[in-house]
Amino acid sequence: MRRLNVSKKTALKVVKELDAFPKVPESYKETTASGGGLSILTFMLIIILVVSEIQYYTATELKFDYEVDTNLTRKVKINIDMTVAMKCQHMGADVLDQTGQDVFSYGKLKEEPAYFQLSPRQQEYLDFTQQVNEYLTQEYHAIQELLWRSDKPTLVGGMPPRDDMPSGKPDACRIHGTLEVSKVAGNFHVTAGKSVPVIPRGHAHIALMIEGTDYNFSHRIDHFSFGDPVPGVVYPLDGTLLVTDNNYHIFQYFIQVVPTEVRTYANNVDTYQFAVTERNRTINHREGSHGSPGIFVKYDLSSLLIRVREEHKPYWQFLVRMCGIIGGVFSVSGMLQSLTNFIADILCCRLKIGKYRRTGASFEETVRGMPAMSLPSELPAAPLLNSAEERDAQEGFPLLNSNSQ
């Protein structure tokens, strides 16, 4: 039992020797005003950094993965809402792709008379949409800062309804609806005359009874997108307004479409991103500018698929960074305090200020100035030790004689 207690004491002693955090007695600690001020600044800096790290790690980030799109049989939705400055009976809108499929099998768009001039409320919405698209086109931005975030505000609705009724008959035609097309390149177009099927495939627009003065393909695109619309997303063609004074004018849009799967906390949709290039010109056969007047949107789908995922940063990184921030700030503040004290000691020692200042006469001057009677005439002699054994015994090291050995 005694041997067990000895082993426990030995183990406890070894553990104490391995203590990397020795305790310093309070009597050995010296506090200063400069150290207290530096401590306050240190704690404030730690709090600021910790709060910023918490905000950083509670936010989400978007991950983008790129792979080959293998789903070739899926249908693609084309969502259209546009107004053309022509009467509905004078024009037709449909789509034709590389498969040559019957245009009527893709669906049918709705046509309704409308006014090309907008009301003040509608004009305000159009101006806002144009400003957003102008920023997206001309200013540098990261797409993840504007799209698909769960904590970003979204745009509600679309073009507001007209709140007034202009005088006169409608001078334009609103075309809106959804078409489901094959996943191949195609051409959506609006041109003069209604379309009729042509054997064996294709279609033609009959415009024999339409006068040249009835042609006017000035148009406004309120919405144009592929796939399921994502709330809050302003597409590149939204807010487009092109006006021409020539009856025979052609507008061309060349679109590159990229399939996109969005998997975030706010959205779980399969949609499409696209980039567009616009060209327009006046048709004049004498000057060599040929073609058919109208609006032509030529699109082509990319073979790549983009997957968008919203993820949280790993929390183990947060813990590591917290330890690094707290420990690093304390270490740096300690070194700054030591350096400051070292420089202050050197300056005070050189300039004889602070605790290095001479407060009175020297020891010799003090002794010299003392009265004679206060000084002892003789100093008591130290007692002589008779032998080496007595000296060692007084110092705490008794010698062992030959008999004890």
Side-chain angles (χ1 to χ4, degrees), residues 50-70:
V50 168
V51 171
S52 64
E53 286 295 313
I54 292 175
Q55 293 177 348
Y56 176 74
Y57 276 92
T58 53
T60 58
E61 60 182 357
L62 295 179
K63 298 290 186 180
F64 297 86
D65 300 325
Y66 303 89
E67 58 185 61
V68 177
D69 185 13
T70 57

PDB file of all heavy atoms in Angstrom, residues 50-70:
ATOM      1  N   VAL A  50     -14.043  38.380 -34.244  1.00  0.00           N
ATOM      2  CA  VAL A  50     -14.921  37.230 -34.008  1.00  0.00           C
ATOM      3  C   VAL A  50     -16.291  37.470 -34.647  1.00  0.00           C
ATOM      4  O   VAL A  50     -16.863  36.572 -35.281  1.00  0.00           O
ATOM      5  CB  VAL A  50     -15.054  36.966 -32.495  1.00  0.00           C
ATOM      6  CG1 VAL A  50     -16.179  35.979 -32.215  1.00  0.00           C
ATOM      7  CG2 VAL A  50     -13.750  36.413 -31.944  1.00  0.00           C
ATOM      8  N   VAL A  51     -16.833  38.670 -34.501  1.00  0.00           N
ATOM      9  CA  VAL A  51     -18.134  38.976 -35.110  1.00  0.00           C
ATOM     10  C   VAL A  51     -18.064  38.886 -36.626  1.00  0.00           C
ATOM     11  O   VAL A  51     -18.959  38.341 -37.280  1.00  0.00           O
ATOM     12  CB  VAL A  51     -18.608  40.377 -34.663  1.00  0.00           C
ATOM     13  CG1 VAL A  51     -19.844  40.812 -35.446  1.00  0.00           C
ATOM     14  CG2 VAL A  51     -18.915  40.378 -33.173  1.00  0.00           C
ATOM     15  N   SER A  52     -16.985  39.399 -37.217  1.00  0.00           N
ATOM     16  CA  SER A  52     -16.842  39.319 -38.674  1.00  0.00           C
ATOM     17  C   SER A  52     -16.714  37.869 -39.144  1.00  0.00           C
ATOM     18  O   SER A  52     -17.269  37.498 -40.187  1.00  0.00           O
ATOM     19  CB  SER A  52     -15.631  40.127 -39.127  1.00  0.00           C
ATOM     20  OG  SER A  52     -14.433  39.565 -38.608  1.00  0.00           O
ATOM     21  N   GLU A  53     -16.006  37.045 -38.376  1.00  0.00           N
ATOM     22  CA  GLU A  53     -15.886  35.637 -38.751  1.00  0.00           C
ATOM     23  C   GLU A  53     -17.228  34.916 -38.643  1.00  0.00           C
ATOM     24  O   GLU A  53     -17.560  34.071 -39.483  1.00  0.00           O
ATOM     25  CB  GLU A  53     -14.854  34.945 -37.854  1.00  0.00           C
ATOM     26  CG  GLU A  53     -13.417  35.300 -38.167  1.00  0.00           C
ATOM     27  CD  GLU A  53     -13.003  34.825 -39.544  1.00  0.00           C
ATOM     28  OE1 GLU A  53     -13.283  33.668 -39.891  1.00  0.00           O
ATOM     29  OE2 GLU A  53     -12.419  35.632 -40.285  1.00  0.00           O
ATOM     30  N   ILE A  54     -18.013  35.254 -37.630  1.00  0.00           N
ATOM     31  CA  ILE A  54     -19.337  34.633 -37.493  1.00  0.00           C
ATOM     32  C   ILE A  54     -20.223  35.009 -38.669  1.00  0.00           C
ATOM     33  O   ILE A  54     -20.922  34.168 -39.245  1.00  0.00           O
ATOM     34  CB  ILE A  54     -19.975  35.048 -36.155  1.00  0.00           C
ATOM     35  CG1 ILE A  54     -19.201  34.431 -34.991  1.00  0.00           C
ATOM     36  CG2 ILE A  54     -21.438  34.612 -36.099  1.00  0.00           C
ATOM     37  CD1 ILE A  54     -19.689  34.880 -33.633  1.00  0.00           C
ATOM     38  N   GLN A  55     -20.198  36.269 -39.068  1.00  0.00           N
ATOM     39  CA  GLN A  55     -20.979  36.687 -40.233  1.00  0.00           C
ATOM     40  C   GLN A  55     -20.503  36.004 -41.503  1.00  0.00           C
ATOM     41  O   GLN A  55     -21.311  35.639 -42.366  1.00  0.00           O
ATOM     42  CB  GLN A  55     -20.892  38.212 -40.387  1.00  0.00           C
ATOM     43  CG  GLN A  55     -21.563  38.983 -39.266  1.00  0.00           C
ATOM     44  CD  GLN A  55     -21.396  40.483 -39.425  1.00  0.00           C
ATOM     45  OE1 GLN A  55     -20.603  40.955 -40.252  1.00  0.00           O
ATOM     46  NE2 GLN A  55     -22.126  41.248 -38.632  1.00  0.00           N
ATOM     47  N   TYR A  56     -19.190  35.833 -41.617  1.00  0.00           N
ATOM     48  CA  TYR A  56     -18.646  35.199 -42.820  1.00  0.00           C
ATOM     49  C   TYR A  56     -19.046  33.735 -42.920  1.00  0.00           C
ATOM     50  O   TYR A  56     -19.407  33.242 -43.986  1.00  0.00           O
ATOM     51  CB  TYR A  56     -17.120  35.342 -42.808  1.00  0.00           C
ATOM     52  CG  TYR A  56     -16.428  34.655 -43.956  1.00  0.00           C
ATOM     53  CD1 TYR A  56     -16.469  35.176 -45.248  1.00  0.00           C
ATOM     54  CD2 TYR A  56     -15.725  33.466 -43.755  1.00  0.00           C
ATOM     55  CE1 TYR A  56     -15.831  34.542 -46.297  1.00  0.00           C
ATOM     56  CE2 TYR A  56     -15.085  32.835 -44.801  1.00  0.00           C
ATOM     57  CZ  TYR A  56     -15.140  33.372 -46.061  1.00  0.00           C
ATOM     58  OH  TYR A  56     -14.516  32.735 -47.099  1.00  0.00           O
ATOM     59  N   TYR A  57     -19.009  33.012 -41.791  1.00  0.00           N
ATOM     60  CA  TYR A  57     -19.272  31.578 -41.838  1.00  0.00           C
ATOM     61  C   TYR A  57     -20.752  31.242 -41.759  1.00  0.00           C
ATOM     62  O   TYR A  57     -21.139  30.122 -42.060  1.00  0.00           O
ATOM     63  CB  TYR A  57     -18.508  30.867 -40.720  1.00  0.00           C
ATOM     64  CG  TYR A  57     -17.086  30.558 -41.103  1.00  0.00           C
ATOM     65  CD1 TYR A  57     -16.070  31.453 -40.815  1.00  0.00           C
ATOM     66  CD2 TYR A  57     -16.763  29.397 -41.796  1.00  0.00           C
ATOM     67  CE1 TYR A  57     -14.763  31.188 -41.179  1.00  0.00           C
ATOM     68  CE2 TYR A  57     -15.467  29.128 -42.165  1.00  0.00           C
ATOM     69  CZ  TYR A  57     -14.467  30.023 -41.851  1.00  0.00           C
ATOM     70  OH  TYR A  57     -13.165  29.764 -42.226  1.00  0.00           O
ATOM     71  N   THR A  58     -21.593  32.170 -41.315  1.00  0.00           N
ATOM     72  CA  THR A  58     -23.031  31.922 -41.368  1.00  0.00           C
ATOM     73  C   THR A  58     -23.604  32.182 -42.756  1.00  0.00           C
ATOM     74  O   THR A  58     -24.696  31.689 -43.074  1.00  0.00           O
ATOM     75  CB  THR A  58     -23.762  32.795 -40.344  1.00  0.00           C
ATOM     76  OG1 THR A  58     -23.392  34.173 -40.533  1.00  0.00           O
ATOM     77  CG2 THR A  58     -23.427  32.366 -38.932  1.00  0.00           C
ATOM     78  N   ALA A  59     -22.900  32.955 -43.581  1.00  0.00           N
ATOM     79  CA  ALA A  59     -23.348  33.184 -44.950  1.00  0.00           C
ATOM     80  C   ALA A  59     -23.066  31.951 -45.807  1.00  0.00           C
ATOM     81  O   ALA A  59     -22.236  31.104 -45.469  1.00  0.00           O
ATOM     82  CB  ALA A  59     -22.650  34.415 -45.538  1.00  0.00           C
ATOM     83  N   THR A  60     -23.785  31.859 -46.924  1.00  0.00           N
ATOM     84  CA  THR A  60     -23.612  30.735 -47.836  1.00  0.00           C
ATOM     85  C   THR A  60     -22.817  31.172 -49.058  1.00  0.00           C
ATOM     86  O   THR A  60     -22.679  32.360 -49.353  1.00  0.00           O
ATOM     87  CB  THR A  60     -24.978  30.188 -48.278  1.00  0.00           C
ATOM     88  OG1 THR A  60     -25.734  31.248 -48.911  1.00  0.00           O
ATOM     89  CG2 THR A  60     -25.763  29.664 -47.090  1.00  0.00           C
ATOM     90  N   GLU A  61     -22.307  30.205 -49.779  1.00  0.00           N
ATOM     91  CA  GLU A  61     -21.596  30.463 -51.015  1.00  0.00           C
ATOM     92  C   GLU A  61     -22.099  29.515 -52.094  1.00  0.00           C
ATOM     93  O   GLU A  61     -22.594  28.426 -51.797  1.00  0.00           O
ATOM     94  CB  GLU A  61     -20.093  30.307 -50.821  1.00  0.00           C
ATOM     95  CG  GLU A  61     -19.656  28.923 -50.378  1.00  0.00           C
ATOM     96  CD  GLU A  61     -18.156  28.834 -50.160  1.00  0.00           C
ATOM     97  OE1 GLU A  61     -17.468  29.839 -50.405  1.00  0.00           O
ATOM     98  OE2 GLU A  61     -17.682  27.752 -49.781  1.00  0.00           O
ATOM     99  N   LEU A  62     -21.978  29.957 -53.334  1.00  0.00           N
ATOM    100  CA  LEU A  62     -22.462  29.183 -54.466  1.00  0.00           C
ATOM    101  C   LEU A  62     -21.310  28.410 -55.097  1.00  0.00           C
ATOM    102  O   LEU A  62     -20.225  28.951 -55.318  1.00  0.00           O
ATOM    103  CB  LEU A  62     -23.120  30.097 -55.504  1.00  0.00           C
ATOM    104  CG  LEU A  62     -24.392  30.823 -55.049  1.00  0.00           C
ATOM    105  CD1 LEU A  62     -24.923  31.710 -56.151  1.00  0.00           C
ATOM    106  CD2 LEU A  62     -25.448  29.834 -54.607  1.00  0.00           C
ATOM    107  N   LYS A  63     -21.561  27.148 -55.407  1.00  0.00           N
ATOM    108  CA  LYS A  63     -20.599  26.294 -56.087  1.00  0.00           C
ATOM    109  C   LYS A  63     -21.112  25.999 -57.490  1.00  0.00           C
ATOM    110  O   LYS A  63     -22.296  25.707 -57.687  1.00  0.00           O
ATOM    111  CB  LYS A  63     -20.406  24.980 -55.316  1.00  0.00           C
ATOM    112  CG  LYS A  63     -19.850  25.150 -53.917  1.00  0.00           C
ATOM    113  CD  LYS A  63     -18.404  25.601 -53.936  1.00  0.00           C
ATOM    114  CE  LYS A  63     -17.820  25.616 -52.531  1.00  0.00           C
ATOM    115  NZ  LYS A  63     -16.392  26.046 -52.525  1.00  0.00           N
ATOM    116  N   PHE A  64     -20.216  26.074 -58.462  1.00  0.00           N
ATOM    117  CA  PHE A  64     -20.579  25.849 -59.854  1.00  0.00           C
ATOM    118  C   PHE A  64     -19.830  24.627 -60.371  1.00  0.00           C
ATOM    119  O   PHE A  64     -18.596  24.560 -60.296  1.00  0.00           O
ATOM    120  CB  PHE A  64     -20.226  27.076 -60.710  1.00  0.00           C
ATOM    121  CG  PHE A  64     -20.985  28.319 -60.337  1.00  0.00           C
ATOM    122  CD1 PHE A  64     -20.523  29.156 -59.330  1.00  0.00           C
ATOM    123  CD2 PHE A  64     -22.163  28.655 -60.976  1.00  0.00           C
ATOM    124  CE1 PHE A  64     -21.209  30.295 -58.972  1.00  0.00           C
ATOM    125  CE2 PHE A  64     -22.858  29.792 -60.628  1.00  0.00           C
ATOM    126  CZ  PHE A  64     -22.384  30.609 -59.627  1.00  0.00           C
ATOM    127  N   ASP A  65     -20.596  23.676 -60.895  1.00  0.00           N
ATOM    128  CA  ASP A  65     -20.031  22.476 -61.497  1.00  0.00           C
ATOM    129  C   ASP A  65     -20.414  22.442 -62.969  1.00  0.00           C
ATOM    130  O   ASP A  65     -21.556  22.775 -63.338  1.00  0.00           O
ATOM    131  CB  ASP A  65     -20.543  21.215 -60.797  1.00  0.00           C
ATOM    132  CG  ASP A  65     -20.181  21.185 -59.326  1.00  0.00           C
ATOM    133  OD1 ASP A  65     -19.083  21.679 -58.991  1.00  0.00           O
ATOM    134  OD2 ASP A  65     -20.984  20.690 -58.514  1.00  0.00           O
ATOM    135  N   TYR A  66     -19.476  22.020 -63.805  1.00  0.00           N
ATOM    136  CA  TYR A  66     -19.690  21.982 -65.249  1.00  0.00           C
ATOM    137  C   TYR A  66     -19.543  20.536 -65.729  1.00  0.00           C
ATOM    138  O   TYR A  66     -18.559  19.868 -65.410  1.00  0.00           O
ATOM    139  CB  TYR A  66     -18.684  22.884 -65.974  1.00  0.00           C
ATOM    140  CG  TYR A  66     -18.713  24.311 -65.511  1.00  0.00           C
ATOM    141  CD1 TYR A  66     -17.921  24.743 -64.438  1.00  0.00           C
ATOM    142  CD2 TYR A  66     -19.540  25.255 -66.118  1.00  0.00           C
ATOM    143  CE1 TYR A  66     -17.948  26.056 -63.999  1.00  0.00           C
ATOM    144  CE2 TYR A  66     -19.575  26.568 -65.689  1.00  0.00           C
ATOM    145  CZ  TYR A  66     -18.771  26.960 -64.639  1.00  0.00           C
ATOM    146  OH  TYR A  66     -18.815  28.258 -64.205  1.00  0.00           O
ATOM    147  N   GLU A  67     -20.514  20.100 -66.505  1.00  0.00           N
ATOM    148  CA  GLU A  67     -20.469  18.748 -67.041  1.00  0.00           C
ATOM    149  C   GLU A  67     -21.250  18.704 -68.352  1.00  0.00           C
ATOM    150  O   GLU A  67     -21.953  19.658 -68.714  1.00  0.00           O
ATOM    151  CB  GLU A  67     -21.047  17.753 -66.038  1.00  0.00           C
ATOM    152  CG  GLU A  67     -22.477  18.036 -65.625  1.00  0.00           C
ATOM    153  CD  GLU A  67     -22.945  17.089 -64.544  1.00  0.00           C
ATOM    154  OE1 GLU A  67     -22.346  17.088 -63.451  1.00  0.00           O
ATOM    155  OE2 GLU A  67     -23.917  16.353 -64.807  1.00  0.00           O
ATOM    156  N   VAL A  68     -21.116  17.591 -69.052  1.00  0.00           N
ATOM    157  CA  VAL A  68     -21.795  17.433 -70.344  1.00  0.00           C
ATOM    158  C   VAL A  68     -23.284  17.141 -70.104  1.00  0.00           C
ATOM    159  O   VAL A  68     -23.634  16.324 -69.253  1.00  0.00           O
ATOM    160  CB  VAL A  68     -21.142  16.302 -71.157  1.00  0.00           C
ATOM    161  CG1 VAL A  68     -21.890  16.088 -72.473  1.00  0.00           C
ATOM    162  CG2 VAL A  68     -19.667  16.620 -71.419  1.00  0.00           C
ATOM    163  N   ASP A  69     -24.118  17.820 -70.842  1.00  0.00           N
ATOM    164  CA  ASP A  69     -25.563  17.611 -70.735  1.00  0.00           C
ATOM    165  C   ASP A  69     -25.936  16.369 -71.529  1.00  0.00           C
ATOM    166  O   ASP A  69     -25.833  16.335 -72.761  1.00  0.00           O
ATOM    167  CB  ASP A  69     -26.303  18.846 -71.266  1.00  0.00           C
ATOM    168  CG  ASP A  69     -27.803  18.748 -71.062  1.00  0.00           C
ATOM    169  OD1 ASP A  69     -28.242  17.857 -70.300  1.00  0.00           O
ATOM    170  OD2 ASP A  69     -28.537  19.551 -71.663  1.00  0.00           O
ATOM    171  N   THR A  70     -26.396  15.342 -70.822  1.00  0.00           N
ATOM    172  CA  THR A  70     -26.744  14.073 -71.463  1.00  0.00           C
ATOM    173  C   THR A  70     -28.245  13.903 -71.687  1.00  0.00           C
ATOM    174  O   THR A  70     -28.659  12.945 -72.336  1.00  0.00           O
ATOM    175  CB  THR A  70     -26.229  12.900 -70.609  1.00  0.00           C
ATOM    176  OG1 THR A  70     -26.786  12.995 -69.274  1.00  0.00           O
ATOM    177  CG2 THR A  70     -24.707  12.943 -70.510  1.00  0.00           C
TER     178      THR A  70
END
